[in-house]
Amino acid sequence: MDLRFKDELAAMPDLRHRLRRLRWFRATFRASAKAVTRAYGVRFEIDDARLTRAFLDWIEIAEGQKAFAEVNRADFIVFAAGVVLRELIRQNPARAVSEAAAPAGEADVSTATREIVRFWPEGFLYTNYCVAAVAAVHEQEFGTVPAIDKCADDLRTWWSYRENVAEVPAYAVAFLDRFLGGEPNWIAPDHPAARHAMQRMKPALDGAPPLGVPAA
C-alpha cells in the first residue's frame, strides 16, 4: 500500500465532511489517480457518471447508518470507507489506459506494490484511495494513523481479493478491514451491526436503529 496521498488528504481541513460532498469526492479521487500515475506510471481514464453513481450510492448508505458512528466512531470510519470501496468496485469508474516505462516515482516504491499495481491497477487505485482516506481522517480525528497489515503488500492476497469481489462486491468491506488490521466479517461484511468492533460495544449498539433504517 502507498500512503503518500494520505498527507495530501490530511492537509484538507474537516476532511470527513468534505468527502461527503460530491465535488470534493470527485476531486480527491482524481487527485489520487494522478498520484498513482506519478508513482507507478499507470494512467487512468475516469468516467464521471460512474464515479458520481458510486458516490450517491455510498452517501445514501452512510447517511442511513450514521447512528453507528455514535457506537464506535473509529470503526464506522473504516466501515464507511469499505462501502465506498464496494461501490467503486461495483461501478468501476476508472480504466487503466497505459503504463509508462519508467515513472518518475519508481525509485520510491516497493517491488511488491508495483507488482500489485500491474496485476490490478483499478483495484489498487480504489483500495489505496480508501486506505489513504481512512488514514487521513483518523489522523485528523484521533491524532494517529492505523497500521497497515503486511497482507496489503502480498500479491497472493490481491489475487484472492480480486477474485472474491468479482463475485461478491460486499467482500470489499472485509478486505479493507483485513488490510487495516481489523477483524473481517465474511458472512455479513457490509452490515455495520455485525462488525466485531461494533459488537464489542453491545450496550450502545442496542440503541442503534435496525439495519437499513435511517437514523432520525
Side-chain angles (χ1 to χ4, degrees):
M1 207 62 67
D2 189 331
L3 285 183
R4 282 175 289 189
F5 186 61
K6 182 271 297 180
D7 294 333
E8 187 174 334
L9 287 175
M12 299 179 183
D14 197 21
L15 178 65
R16 178 169 60 89
H17 289 104
R18 287 195 180 194
L19 289 179
R20 290 172 177 263
R21 300 172 189 165
L22 178 59
R23 178 171 66 91
W24 284 103
F25 178 83
R26 288 168 55 173
T28 55
F29 183 81
R30 284 186 170 276
S32 178
K34 289 179 181 178
V36 173
T37 299
R38 286 195 302 269
Y40 303 96
V42 179
R43 291 194 307 107
F44 297 93
E45 287 183 351
I46 309 296
D47 185 318
D48 278 333
R50 291 188 177 196
L51 186 59
T52 298
R53 285 198 298 269
F55 171 83
L56 294 176
D57 288 348
W58 163 63
I59 206 70
E60 181 180 0
I61 294 166
E63 287 298 310
Q65 303 292 357
K66 66 183 179 181
F68 287 96
E70 302 301 320
V71 178
N72 187 327
R73 187 179 189 80
D75 188 63
F76 186 77
I77 291 169
V78 178
F79 165 74
V83 177
V84 173
L85 181 56
R86 184 192 71 183
E87 295 307 312
L88 287 171
I89 288 172
R90 283 201 321 118
Q91 297 295 342
N92 198 25
R95 184 171 67 93
V97 293
S98 67
E99 181 177 354
E106 188 170 12
D108 301 326
V109 303
S110 71
T111 299
T113 306
R114 193 183 304 113
E115 289 178 349
I116 290 167
V117 174
R118 287 174 178 168
F119 165 65
W120 190 20
E122 296 86 358
F124 178 82
L125 170 62
Y126 304 150
T127 307
N128 203 67
Y129 173 71
C130 292
V131 169
V134 169
V137 172
H138 263 254
E139 186 174 274
Q140 288 188 355
E141 299 274 325
F142 309 111
T144 61
V145 175
I148 308 300
D149 192 271
K150 62 182 181 180
C151 73
D153 294 320
D154 185 346
L155 183 58
R156 294 169 300 179
T157 300
W158 282 77
W159 274 96
S160 175
Y161 175 25
R162 185 174 186 175
E163 181 179 307
N164 278 278
V165 298
E167 296 181 3
V168 183
Y171 281 146
V173 181
F175 274 97
L176 186 66
D177 284 330
R178 189 178 179 196
F179 291 154
L180 290 168
E183 299 177 72
N185 183 318
W186 298 104
I187 298 173
D190 52 356
H191 288 187
R195 294 175 63 78
H196 295 289
M198 293 293 181
Q199 287 293 323
R200 285 194 289 269
M201 306 294 288
K202 191 67 168 61
L205 185 59
D206 290 338
L211 288 176
V213 177

Short mmCIF file of all heavy atoms in Angstrom, two decimals, residues 154-203:
data_model
loop_
_atom_site.label_atom_id
_atom_site.label_comp_id
_atom_site.label_asym_id
_atom_site.label_seq_id
_atom_site.Cartn_x
_atom_site.Cartn_y
_atom_site.Cartn_z
N ASP A 154 0.90 -8.26 -0.21
CA ASP A 154 1.05 -9.64 -0.65
C ASP A 154 0.22 -9.86 -1.92
O ASP A 154 -1.01 -9.78 -1.89
CB ASP A 154 0.58 -10.58 0.46
CG ASP A 154 0.81 -12.05 0.14
OD1 ASP A 154 1.09 -12.37 -1.04
OD2 ASP A 154 0.72 -12.87 1.06
N LEU A 155 0.87 -10.13 -3.02
CA LEU A 155 0.17 -10.30 -4.29
C LEU A 155 -0.83 -11.45 -4.22
O LEU A 155 -1.89 -11.38 -4.84
CB LEU A 155 1.18 -10.55 -5.42
CG LEU A 155 0.61 -10.67 -6.84
CD1 LEU A 155 -0.17 -9.42 -7.23
CD2 LEU A 155 1.74 -10.93 -7.83
N ARG A 156 -0.53 -12.49 -3.45
CA ARG A 156 -1.46 -13.62 -3.33
C ARG A 156 -2.78 -13.18 -2.70
O ARG A 156 -3.85 -13.65 -3.09
CB ARG A 156 -0.83 -14.75 -2.51
CG ARG A 156 0.37 -15.41 -3.17
CD ARG A 156 1.09 -16.30 -2.20
NE ARG A 156 1.58 -15.55 -1.04
CZ ARG A 156 2.23 -16.10 -0.01
NH1 ARG A 156 2.46 -17.40 0.02
NH2 ARG A 156 2.64 -15.35 0.99
N THR A 157 -2.69 -12.29 -1.73
CA THR A 157 -3.91 -11.74 -1.11
C THR A 157 -4.71 -10.97 -2.15
O THR A 157 -5.95 -11.06 -2.20
CB THR A 157 -3.56 -10.82 0.06
OG1 THR A 157 -2.83 -11.56 1.05
CG2 THR A 157 -4.81 -10.24 0.70
N TRP A 158 -4.03 -10.23 -3.01
CA TRP A 158 -4.73 -9.45 -4.04
C TRP A 158 -5.36 -10.35 -5.10
O TRP A 158 -6.41 -10.00 -5.66
CB TRP A 158 -3.77 -8.44 -4.66
CG TRP A 158 -3.58 -7.25 -3.76
CD1 TRP A 158 -2.82 -7.19 -2.64
CD2 TRP A 158 -4.20 -5.98 -3.90
NE1 TRP A 158 -2.91 -5.95 -2.06
CE2 TRP A 158 -3.74 -5.18 -2.81
CE3 TRP A 158 -5.07 -5.41 -4.82
CZ2 TRP A 158 -4.15 -3.86 -2.64
CZ3 TRP A 158 -5.48 -4.09 -4.65
CH2 TRP A 158 -5.02 -3.33 -3.58
N TRP A 159 -4.76 -11.49 -5.37
CA TRP A 159 -5.41 -12.46 -6.27
C TRP A 159 -6.75 -12.89 -5.68
O TRP A 159 -7.78 -12.91 -6.36
CB TRP A 159 -4.52 -13.69 -6.46
CG TRP A 159 -3.49 -13.55 -7.54
CD1 TRP A 159 -2.18 -13.19 -7.38
CD2 TRP A 159 -3.68 -13.78 -8.94
NE1 TRP A 159 -1.54 -13.16 -8.60
CE2 TRP A 159 -2.44 -13.53 -9.58
CE3 TRP A 159 -4.78 -14.17 -9.72
CZ2 TRP A 159 -2.26 -13.66 -10.94
CZ3 TRP A 159 -4.60 -14.30 -11.10
CH2 TRP A 159 -3.36 -14.04 -11.68
N SER A 160 -6.74 -13.24 -4.39
CA SER A 160 -7.96 -13.66 -3.70
C SER A 160 -8.96 -12.50 -3.64
O SER A 160 -10.17 -12.69 -3.88
CB SER A 160 -7.62 -14.14 -2.30
OG SER A 160 -8.78 -14.45 -1.57
N TYR A 161 -8.48 -11.33 -3.33
CA TYR A 161 -9.30 -10.12 -3.24
C TYR A 161 -10.04 -9.87 -4.55
O TYR A 161 -11.27 -9.75 -4.59
CB TYR A 161 -8.37 -8.97 -2.88
CG TYR A 161 -8.94 -7.57 -2.84
CD1 TYR A 161 -10.29 -7.32 -2.59
CD2 TYR A 161 -8.08 -6.48 -2.99
CE1 TYR A 161 -10.77 -6.03 -2.52
CE2 TYR A 161 -8.55 -5.18 -2.93
CZ TYR A 161 -9.89 -4.96 -2.70
OH TYR A 161 -10.36 -3.68 -2.63
N ARG A 162 -9.30 -9.85 -5.65
CA ARG A 162 -9.92 -9.57 -6.95
C ARG A 162 -10.94 -10.63 -7.33
O ARG A 162 -12.04 -10.32 -7.82
CB ARG A 162 -8.83 -9.48 -8.02
CG ARG A 162 -9.35 -9.07 -9.39
CD ARG A 162 -8.20 -8.87 -10.37
NE ARG A 162 -8.67 -8.35 -11.64
CZ ARG A 162 -7.87 -8.00 -12.64
NH1 ARG A 162 -6.54 -8.12 -12.52
NH2 ARG A 162 -8.38 -7.52 -13.77
N GLU A 163 -10.60 -11.88 -7.09
CA GLU A 163 -11.50 -12.98 -7.44
C GLU A 163 -12.78 -12.94 -6.62
O GLU A 163 -13.88 -13.13 -7.15
CB GLU A 163 -10.77 -14.30 -7.22
CG GLU A 163 -11.59 -15.53 -7.56
CD GLU A 163 -10.79 -16.81 -7.34
OE1 GLU A 163 -9.68 -16.91 -7.89
OE2 GLU A 163 -11.29 -17.69 -6.61
N ASN A 164 -12.65 -12.66 -5.33
CA ASN A 164 -13.82 -12.68 -4.44
C ASN A 164 -14.75 -11.50 -4.67
O ASN A 164 -15.98 -11.67 -4.69
CB ASN A 164 -13.37 -12.72 -2.97
CG ASN A 164 -13.03 -14.11 -2.51
OD1 ASN A 164 -13.90 -14.90 -2.16
ND2 ASN A 164 -11.74 -14.44 -2.53
N VAL A 165 -14.21 -10.29 -4.85
CA VAL A 165 -15.09 -9.14 -5.03
C VAL A 165 -15.76 -9.15 -6.40
O VAL A 165 -16.81 -8.52 -6.59
CB VAL A 165 -14.36 -7.79 -4.80
CG1 VAL A 165 -13.85 -7.70 -3.37
CG2 VAL A 165 -13.24 -7.60 -5.80
N ALA A 166 -15.17 -9.87 -7.36
CA ALA A 166 -15.83 -10.01 -8.65
C ALA A 166 -17.14 -10.77 -8.51
O ALA A 166 -18.10 -10.52 -9.24
CB ALA A 166 -14.91 -10.73 -9.64
N GLU A 167 -17.19 -11.70 -7.56
CA GLU A 167 -18.40 -12.48 -7.32
C GLU A 167 -19.31 -11.82 -6.29
O GLU A 167 -20.53 -11.80 -6.46
CB GLU A 167 -18.01 -13.88 -6.83
CG GLU A 167 -17.24 -14.70 -7.86
CD GLU A 167 -16.89 -16.08 -7.34
OE1 GLU A 167 -17.31 -16.43 -6.21
OE2 GLU A 167 -16.19 -16.81 -8.06
N VAL A 168 -18.71 -11.27 -5.23
CA VAL A 168 -19.48 -10.64 -4.15
C VAL A 168 -18.82 -9.30 -3.80
O VAL A 168 -17.87 -9.26 -3.01
CB VAL A 168 -19.54 -11.54 -2.89
CG1 VAL A 168 -20.41 -10.89 -1.81
CG2 VAL A 168 -20.05 -12.93 -3.24
N PRO A 169 -19.27 -8.18 -4.39
CA PRO A 169 -18.63 -6.90 -4.12
C PRO A 169 -18.56 -6.52 -2.64
O PRO A 169 -17.64 -5.81 -2.23
CB PRO A 169 -19.51 -5.91 -4.91
CG PRO A 169 -20.08 -6.72 -6.03
CD PRO A 169 -20.32 -8.08 -5.43
N ALA A 170 -19.50 -7.02 -1.83
CA ALA A 170 -19.50 -6.69 -0.40
C ALA A 170 -18.24 -7.17 0.30
O ALA A 170 -17.86 -6.63 1.35
CB ALA A 170 -20.73 -7.29 0.28
N TYR A 171 -17.56 -8.16 -0.27
CA TYR A 171 -16.31 -8.62 0.33
C TYR A 171 -15.25 -7.52 0.35
O TYR A 171 -14.26 -7.63 1.08
CB TYR A 171 -15.76 -9.84 -0.41
CG TYR A 171 -16.44 -11.14 -0.05
CD1 TYR A 171 -16.61 -12.14 -1.01
CD2 TYR A 171 -16.90 -11.39 1.24
CE1 TYR A 171 -17.24 -13.34 -0.70
CE2 TYR A 171 -17.53 -12.58 1.56
CZ TYR A 171 -17.70 -13.56 0.59
OH TYR A 171 -18.31 -14.74 0.91
N ALA A 172 -15.44 -6.47 -0.43
CA ALA A 172 -14.50 -5.35 -0.41
C ALA A 172 -14.40 -4.76 0.99
O ALA A 172 -13.32 -4.34 1.43
CB ALA A 172 -14.94 -4.27 -1.40
N VAL A 173 -15.53 -4.73 1.71
CA VAL A 173 -15.53 -4.19 3.09
C VAL A 173 -14.64 -5.06 3.97
O VAL A 173 -13.83 -4.56 4.76
CB VAL A 173 -16.96 -4.13 3.65
CG1 VAL A 173 -16.95 -3.55 5.07
CG2 VAL A 173 -17.87 -3.31 2.74
N ALA A 174 -14.76 -6.37 3.83
CA ALA A 174 -13.98 -7.30 4.65
C ALA A 174 -12.49 -7.21 4.31
O ALA A 174 -11.64 -7.25 5.21
CB ALA A 174 -14.49 -8.73 4.45
N PHE A 175 -12.17 -7.10 3.04
CA PHE A 175 -10.75 -7.00 2.67
C PHE A 175 -10.15 -5.69 3.15
O PHE A 175 -8.99 -5.66 3.58
CB PHE A 175 -10.58 -7.16 1.16
CG PHE A 175 -10.46 -8.59 0.72
CD1 PHE A 175 -11.56 -9.29 0.24
CD2 PHE A 175 -9.24 -9.26 0.81
CE1 PHE A 175 -11.45 -10.62 -0.16
CE2 PHE A 175 -9.12 -10.59 0.42
CZ PHE A 175 -10.22 -11.28 -0.07
N LEU A 176 -10.92 -4.61 3.11
CA LEU A 176 -10.39 -3.35 3.65
C LEU A 176 -10.13 -3.49 5.14
O LEU A 176 -9.10 -3.02 5.64
CB LEU A 176 -11.36 -2.20 3.38
CG LEU A 176 -10.83 -0.82 3.79
CD1 LEU A 176 -9.63 -0.41 2.92
CD2 LEU A 176 -11.91 0.24 3.71
N ASP A 177 -11.04 -4.13 5.86
CA ASP A 177 -10.80 -4.40 7.29
C ASP A 177 -9.50 -5.17 7.48
O ASP A 177 -8.70 -4.86 8.37
CB ASP A 177 -11.96 -5.22 7.88
CG ASP A 177 -13.21 -4.39 8.13
OD1 ASP A 177 -13.08 -3.19 8.40
OD2 ASP A 177 -14.31 -4.96 8.05
N ARG A 178 -9.30 -6.18 6.64
CA ARG A 178 -8.10 -7.00 6.76
C ARG A 178 -6.85 -6.18 6.50
O ARG A 178 -5.85 -6.30 7.21
CB ARG A 178 -8.19 -8.18 5.79
CG ARG A 178 -7.11 -9.22 5.98
CD ARG A 178 -7.29 -10.38 5.03
NE ARG A 178 -6.23 -11.36 5.21
CZ ARG A 178 -5.94 -12.31 4.34
NH1 ARG A 178 -6.66 -12.44 3.24
NH2 ARG A 178 -4.95 -13.15 4.56
N PHE A 179 -6.87 -5.36 5.46
CA PHE A 179 -5.71 -4.53 5.13
C PHE A 179 -5.38 -3.56 6.27
O PHE A 179 -4.21 -3.22 6.47
CB PHE A 179 -5.95 -3.75 3.84
CG PHE A 179 -6.01 -4.60 2.60
CD1 PHE A 179 -6.72 -4.17 1.49
CD2 PHE A 179 -5.36 -5.83 2.53
CE1 PHE A 179 -6.77 -4.94 0.34
CE2 PHE A 179 -5.41 -6.61 1.38
CZ PHE A 179 -6.12 -6.17 0.28
N LEU A 180 -6.41 -3.12 6.98
CA LEU A 180 -6.21 -2.16 8.07
C LEU A 180 -6.03 -2.85 9.43
O LEU A 180 -6.09 -2.21 10.47
CB LEU A 180 -7.38 -1.19 8.13
CG LEU A 180 -7.44 -0.20 6.95
CD1 LEU A 180 -8.77 0.53 6.92
CD2 LEU A 180 -6.29 0.80 7.03
N GLY A 181 -5.81 -4.18 9.39
CA GLY A 181 -5.52 -4.91 10.62
C GLY A 181 -6.72 -5.21 11.48
O GLY A 181 -6.57 -5.55 12.66
N GLY A 182 -7.92 -5.09 10.92
CA GLY A 182 -9.14 -5.36 11.68
C GLY A 182 -9.59 -6.81 11.56
O GLY A 182 -8.90 -7.65 10.98
N GLU A 183 -10.76 -7.08 12.13
CA GLU A 183 -11.34 -8.42 12.09
C GLU A 183 -12.47 -8.43 11.06
O GLU A 183 -13.55 -7.92 11.32
CB GLU A 183 -11.91 -8.80 13.45
CG GLU A 183 -10.90 -8.84 14.58
CD GLU A 183 -11.57 -9.14 15.90
OE1 GLU A 183 -12.00 -10.31 16.11
OE2 GLU A 183 -11.70 -8.22 16.72
N PRO A 184 -12.24 -8.99 9.89
CA PRO A 184 -13.29 -9.00 8.87
C PRO A 184 -14.46 -9.89 9.27
O PRO A 184 -14.29 -10.89 9.97
CB PRO A 184 -12.58 -9.59 7.63
CG PRO A 184 -11.12 -9.49 7.92
CD PRO A 184 -10.99 -9.59 9.41
N ASN A 185 -15.65 -9.50 8.83
CA ASN A 185 -16.82 -10.36 8.97
C ASN A 185 -17.16 -10.83 7.56
O ASN A 185 -17.68 -10.08 6.75
CB ASN A 185 -18.00 -9.57 9.57
CG ASN A 185 -19.21 -10.46 9.81
OD1 ASN A 185 -19.55 -11.29 8.97
ND2 ASN A 185 -19.88 -10.26 10.92
N TRP A 186 -16.86 -12.08 7.27
CA TRP A 186 -17.03 -12.60 5.92
C TRP A 186 -18.48 -13.00 5.64
O TRP A 186 -18.85 -13.20 4.49
CB TRP A 186 -16.11 -13.79 5.69
CG TRP A 186 -14.67 -13.44 5.82
CD1 TRP A 186 -13.86 -13.72 6.88
CD2 TRP A 186 -13.87 -12.71 4.89
NE1 TRP A 186 -12.60 -13.22 6.66
CE2 TRP A 186 -12.57 -12.59 5.45
CE3 TRP A 186 -14.12 -12.15 3.63
CZ2 TRP A 186 -11.54 -11.94 4.79
CZ3 TRP A 186 -13.08 -11.49 2.98
CH2 TRP A 186 -11.81 -11.39 3.56
N ILE A 187 -19.29 -13.13 6.68
CA ILE A 187 -20.68 -13.55 6.49
C ILE A 187 -21.56 -12.36 6.10
O ILE A 187 -22.38 -12.44 5.17
CB ILE A 187 -21.22 -14.23 7.76
CG1 ILE A 187 -20.41 -15.49 8.05
CG2 ILE A 187 -22.71 -14.56 7.60
CD1 ILE A 187 -20.76 -16.15 9.37
N ALA A 188 -21.41 -11.26 6.81
CA ALA A 188 -22.20 -10.05 6.52
C ALA A 188 -21.26 -8.84 6.55
O ALA A 188 -21.35 -7.99 7.43
CB ALA A 188 -23.32 -9.89 7.55
N PRO A 189 -20.33 -8.76 5.59
CA PRO A 189 -19.28 -7.74 5.66
C PRO A 189 -19.76 -6.30 5.59
O PRO A 189 -19.11 -5.41 6.14
CB PRO A 189 -18.39 -8.08 4.45
CG PRO A 189 -19.25 -8.87 3.54
CD PRO A 189 -20.19 -9.63 4.41
N ASP A 190 -20.91 -6.07 4.91
CA ASP A 190 -21.36 -4.68 4.77
C ASP A 190 -22.54 -4.35 5.68
O ASP A 190 -23.27 -3.39 5.42
CB ASP A 190 -21.70 -4.36 3.31
CG ASP A 190 -22.67 -5.36 2.69
OD1 ASP A 190 -23.03 -6.35 3.36
OD2 ASP A 190 -23.07 -5.15 1.52
N HIS A 191 -22.72 -5.11 6.76
CA HIS A 191 -23.72 -4.80 7.78
C HIS A 191 -23.01 -4.27 9.02
O HIS A 191 -22.33 -5.03 9.72
CB HIS A 191 -24.53 -6.04 8.14
CG HIS A 191 -25.49 -6.47 7.08
ND1 HIS A 191 -26.41 -7.47 7.26
CD2 HIS A 191 -25.69 -6.01 5.82
CE1 HIS A 191 -27.12 -7.63 6.17
NE2 HIS A 191 -26.71 -6.75 5.28
N PRO A 192 -23.14 -2.99 9.32
CA PRO A 192 -22.37 -2.42 10.44
C PRO A 192 -22.66 -3.07 11.78
O PRO A 192 -21.77 -3.21 12.61
CB PRO A 192 -22.78 -0.94 10.43
CG PRO A 192 -24.06 -0.89 9.65
CD PRO A 192 -23.97 -1.99 8.65
N ALA A 193 -23.90 -3.49 12.02
CA ALA A 193 -24.22 -4.10 13.31
C ALA A 193 -23.52 -5.43 13.52
O ALA A 193 -23.37 -5.89 14.65
CB ALA A 193 -25.73 -4.29 13.44
N ALA A 194 -23.09 -6.06 12.41
CA ALA A 194 -22.43 -7.36 12.51
C ALA A 194 -20.92 -7.25 12.66
O ALA A 194 -20.24 -8.26 12.81
CB ALA A 194 -22.76 -8.19 11.26
N ARG A 195 -20.40 -6.05 12.65
CA ARG A 195 -18.95 -5.86 12.75
C ARG A 195 -18.46 -6.20 14.15
O ARG A 195 -19.12 -5.89 15.14
CB ARG A 195 -18.58 -4.42 12.38
CG ARG A 195 -18.86 -4.10 10.92
CD ARG A 195 -18.60 -2.64 10.61
NE ARG A 195 -17.20 -2.27 10.79
CZ ARG A 195 -16.24 -2.55 9.91
NH1 ARG A 195 -16.51 -3.21 8.79
NH2 ARG A 195 -14.99 -2.17 10.14
N HIS A 196 -17.30 -6.82 14.22
CA HIS A 196 -16.76 -7.24 15.52
C HIS A 196 -16.56 -6.05 16.45
O HIS A 196 -16.88 -6.12 17.64
CB HIS A 196 -15.44 -7.99 15.32
CG HIS A 196 -15.60 -9.28 14.58
ND1 HIS A 196 -16.21 -10.39 15.12
CD2 HIS A 196 -15.22 -9.64 13.32
CE1 HIS A 196 -16.20 -11.37 14.23
NE2 HIS A 196 -15.62 -10.95 13.13
N ALA A 197 -16.04 -4.95 15.91
CA ALA A 197 -15.78 -3.78 16.75
C ALA A 197 -17.08 -3.17 17.26
O ALA A 197 -17.12 -2.62 18.37
CB ALA A 197 -14.99 -2.74 15.96
N MET A 198 -18.15 -3.26 16.48
CA MET A 198 -19.45 -2.77 16.93
C MET A 198 -20.04 -3.71 17.98
O MET A 198 -20.63 -3.27 18.98
CB MET A 198 -20.41 -2.65 15.74
CG MET A 198 -20.04 -1.60 14.73
SD MET A 198 -20.18 0.09 15.38
CE MET A 198 -19.69 1.04 13.92
N GLN A 199 -19.88 -5.01 17.77
CA GLN A 199 -20.43 -5.98 18.71
C GLN A 199 -19.80 -5.84 20.09
O GLN A 199 -20.45 -6.10 21.10
CB GLN A 199 -20.22 -7.40 18.18
CG GLN A 199 -21.12 -7.77 17.01
CD GLN A 199 -22.58 -7.85 17.41
OE1 GLN A 199 -22.91 -8.30 18.50
NE2 GLN A 199 -23.45 -7.39 16.53
N ARG A 200 -18.53 -5.43 20.13
CA ARG A 200 -17.87 -5.24 21.43
C ARG A 200 -18.45 -4.05 22.18
O ARG A 200 -18.23 -3.90 23.38
CB ARG A 200 -16.37 -5.07 21.23
CG ARG A 200 -15.66 -6.38 20.90
CD ARG A 200 -14.16 -6.25 21.04
NE ARG A 200 -13.58 -5.43 20.01
CZ ARG A 200 -13.12 -5.90 18.84
NH1 ARG A 200 -13.20 -7.19 18.58
NH2 ARG A 200 -12.59 -5.09 17.96
N MET A 201 -19.20 -3.20 21.46
CA MET A 201 -19.87 -2.06 22.09
C MET A 201 -21.36 -2.36 22.22
O MET A 201 -22.20 -1.51 22.01
CB MET A 201 -19.66 -0.81 21.24
CG MET A 201 -18.21 -0.50 20.93
SD MET A 201 -17.25 -0.08 22.40
CE MET A 201 -17.91 1.54 22.75
N LYS A 202 -21.72 -3.58 22.56
CA LYS A 202 -23.10 -4.07 22.53
C LYS A 202 -24.09 -3.17 23.26
O LYS A 202 -25.18 -2.92 22.75
CB LYS A 202 -23.15 -5.49 23.10
CG LYS A 202 -24.47 -6.22 22.88
CD LYS A 202 -24.70 -6.51 21.41
CE LYS A 202 -25.86 -7.50 21.21
NZ LYS A 202 -27.13 -7.01 21.71
N PRO A 203 -23.81 -2.67 24.47
CA PRO A 203 -24.80 -1.82 25.14
C PRO A 203 -25.21 -0.61 24.30
O PRO A 203 -26.39 -0.28 24.19
CB PRO A 203 -24.08 -1.38 26.42
CG PRO A 203 -23.12 -2.49 26.68
CD PRO A 203 -22.64 -2.92 25.32
#
